[in-house]
Amino acid sequence: GAGVSQTPSNKVTEKGKYVELRCDPISGHTALYWYRQSLGQGPEFLIYFQGTGAADDSGLPNDRFFAVRPEGSVSTLKIQRTERGDSAVYLCASSLESARNTGELFFGEGSRLTVL
Amino acid sequence: GNSVTQMEGPVTLSEEAFLTINCTYTATGYPSLFWYVQYPGEGLQLLLKATKADDKGSNKGFEATYRKETTSFHLEKGSVQVSDSAVYFCALMTSSRQLTFGSGTQLTVLP
């Protein structure tokens, strides 16, 4: 079956612009996560959705970052007034609710964002 | 806070060599521990896990044992193959459901 799908795979933008990154999770997965991976580092947690609601957004770095999941499936990560420091690979992952606390997340290939 | 420290890479081995990638952690409470792997051109995927002290996770010939006394979860494989070339990430999860990752170790296996 299909895995986690992320679009675009690559995005180049200019400082100050607005960016949207999309994630289509595995069908039936109720939990959805966003992580950010900078060069040479491991992924860092941004936000976690259970259904339509953000259960934990403690990893969002500031109020320029926002994410939605209006119908409990596809999610969009939105970044306003992009800065060069936002350049990274943004990873989306999904999991079954029954995987609660087991840590088995299914990751997409990521969206590479470059801010010039 | 929670943190994971893993062996810096890159690591280059010949086929059939023994592999160890060290991982230690700091966490509040009793975390679950994981190794994730990222093959070239693919997304991160779970390799193995252990949820309590002294548990051994294993998969595809890889093993790691949850050592609470040394706060470690070292990854081992007795005989690596070229197809094992990838980036390996150690990670932990507590009740918050946030995965905390190490910085990754690049493994290259030469034929």
Side-chain angles (χ1 to χ4, degrees):
Chain A
V4 176
S5 176
Q6 292 188 246
T7 54
S9 55
N10 278 286
K11 175 71 176 178
V12 180
T13 191
E14 294 179 342
K15 181 175 179 292
K17 298 291 188 183
Y18 170 80
V19 165
E20 289 190 352
L21 306 175
R22 175 190 167 104
C23 173
D24 200 342
I26 292 172
S27 178
H29 281 192
T30 57
L32 185 145
Y33 307 78
W34 284 98
Y35 283 77
R36 178 168 70 173
Q37 186 173 17
S38 300
L39 191 62
Q41 301 298 316
E44 294 180 318
F45 172 81
L46 295 176
I47 187 170
Y48 151 58
F49 288 90
Q50 185 55 255
T52 60
D56 183 353
D57 65 357
S58 62
L60 294 177
N62 52 60
D63 61 5
R64 294 187 297 105
F65 288 75
F66 190 70
V68 296
R69 195 186 184 199
E71 298 178 356
S73 178
V74 171
S75 176
T76 304
L77 178 66
K78 307 181 181 195
I79 310 174
Q80 297 178 322
R81 305 184 303 280
T82 51
E83 300 178 356
R84 292 194 181 87
D86 299 335
S87 296
V89 177
Y90 289 81
L91 300 173
C92 178
S94 67
S95 71
L96 289 167
E97 170 60 16
S98 60
R100 185 180 184 84
N101 288 330
T102 70
E104 183 162 12
L105 275 57
F106 295 82
F107 283 84
E109 292 184 35
S111 292
R112 181 178 298 278
L113 175 65
T114 303
V115 182
L116 301 178
Chain B
N2 299 333
S3 67
V4 175
T5 302
Q6 66 180 97
M7 176 177 165
E8 288 188 14
V11 174
T12 302
L13 296 173
S14 297
E15 205 164 25
E16 298 184 3
F18 183 84
L19 169 71
T20 299
I21 301 178
N22 289 338
C23 171
T24 57
Y25 68 90
T26 302
T28 53
Y30 302 96
S32 295
L33 301 175
F34 309 87
W35 279 98
Y36 272 79
V37 59
Q38 188 169 30
Y39 298 104
E42 299 184 17
L44 276 165
Q45 55 187 271
L46 180 65
L47 179 61
L48 54 83
K49 66 182 182 186
T51 57
K52 61 183 188 297
D54 299 324
D55 270 2
K56 178 185 284 188
S58 62
N59 186 25
K60 299 182 181 180
F62 290 88
E63 293 183 341
T65 301
Y66 189 144
R67 299 289 188 198
K68 186 165 181 262
E69 64 276 12
T70 54
T71 62
S72 65
F73 193 55
H74 304 321
L75 182 69
E76 296 182 336
K77 186 173 186 182
S79 176
V80 293
Q81 306 301 311
V82 172
S83 57
D84 293 327
S85 297
V87 182
Y88 292 82
F89 293 90
C90 186
L92 67 83
M93 178 182 276
T94 61
S95 58
S96 72
R97 297 201 70 180
Q98 295 180 17
L99 275 170
T100 300
F101 287 89
S103 57
T105 302
Q106 170 79 55
L107 170 66
T108 301
V109 180
L110 303 175

